[in-house]
Amino acid sequence: MRPMLAEGIGTFWLVFGGCGSAVLAAAFPQLGIGFAGVALAFGLSVLTMAYAVGHISGGHFNPAVTLGQWAGGLFPANRIAPYVVAQVVGGVVAAGVLFVIASGLPGFDAAASGFASNGYGAHSPGKFALAACLLIELVLTAVFVVIINGVVSRPSLAAVAPIAIGLALTLIHLISIPVTNTSVNPARSTAAAIFQGGWAIEQLWMFWLMPLLGGVIGGAVSRGLRTAESANRRGRGGLMSNAR
């Protein structure tokens, strides 16, 4: 149960830190942190919790990452479902705590504000069409998983892996907050949608389908890159052996 608890706590912090910054601080009068601040909050939440509990569970905090690790040959299939359940539960608990805090603001309305939910079309921050939102979630999740699998599969990078992953998530948010409010994480999308309670639930299918598909693609790509790298090393080793 320790890995499940670690995943739940890590996802709690990601949702509370990232969505919390969007709900409570993004447009705060005169001192709002804006898109850049929210992007940094998501990146820092993953970075800090990866250092805190990553050694216990691997620090996925995201069903798409879990599936991508499996597709990349780095994670067993029989642990996917428990990880995903822990991530969703952790995210929903975080959104619940955030909802209670935000409700302390006079006139707060989660449905009207969007509660940091992900959306497309009329509910995209920039009113981007469904096709654009589908594509950006697919591409960014795939690249995110390639980055994650690339750094965690190299023991020499263990000390700095959370930094690379956190910065990657920050960049992803800087790119796509105007498009979908950035998901690349079905647990995060589900947590916010439950408390928004309307259109976000209706559009939630997309923020499961595309990140999970992107995770599998990214995992497969990273596995291919790792295999090619290993073959290349063996080839160089053979040449050196022949030279000797």
Side-chain angles (χ1 to χ4, degrees):
M1 292 299 295
R2 289 177 67 246
M4 307 306 110
L5 182 60
E7 284 296 302
I9 292 171
T11 311
F12 174 96
W13 188 235
L14 184 151
V15 171
F16 190 75
C19 294
S21 69
V23 171
L24 303 176
F28 191 80
Q30 300 179 357
L31 298 174
I33 61 175
F35 283 178
V38 173
L40 185 59
F42 272 101
L44 288 174
S45 66
V46 168
L47 187 158
T48 52
M49 199 52 72
Y51 274 122
V53 302
H55 63 289
I56 299 173
S57 67
H60 298 185
F61 317 144
N62 181 341
V65 172
T66 298
L67 204 61
Q69 291 253 292
W70 165 76
L74 301 172
F75 193 74
N78 63 353
R79 298 181 71 184
I80 293 175
Y83 264 53
V84 171
V85 170
Q87 292 156 359
V88 172
V89 169
V92 171
V93 171
V97 174
L98 177 59
F99 178 83
V100 173
I101 295 170
S103 296
L105 178 68
F108 173 76
D109 185 339
S113 69
F115 202 65
S117 296
N118 302 115
Y120 56 81
H123 302 293
S124 157
K127 311 305 180 188
F128 283 78
L130 173 60
C133 296
L134 288 167
L135 184 59
I136 200 165
E137 287 290 330
L138 179 72
V139 171
L140 290 180
T141 309
V143 174
F144 189 40
V145 169
V146 169
I147 293 168
I148 292 171
N149 288 3
V151 296
V152 303
S153 63
R154 297 163 65 186
S156 62
L157 297 180
V160 297
I163 298 174
I165 295 167
L167 289 176
L169 190 59
T170 299
L171 177 58
I172 284 169
H173 279 77
L174 288 173
I175 296 168
S176 61
I177 286 177
V179 184
T180 62
N181 215 20
T182 310
S183 173
V184 303
N185 185 337
R188 168 262 190 274
S189 297
T190 300
I194 286 174
F195 289 90
Q196 195 283 328
W199 59 261
I201 293 178
E202 295 172 2
Q203 296 191 349
L204 186 58
W205 66 270
M206 200 273 270
F207 300 104
W208 274 89
L209 177 62
M210 301 317 289
L212 291 182
L213 181 57
V216 171
I217 293 172
V221 170
S222 67
R223 189 169 192 162
L225 291 173
R226 196 166 62 252
T227 301
E229 181 184 29
S230 299
N232 195 29
R233 285 176 177 172
R234 287 195 298 270
R236 289 198 301 268
L239 289 172
M240 291 175 67
S241 177
N242 290 337
R244 287 194 298 269

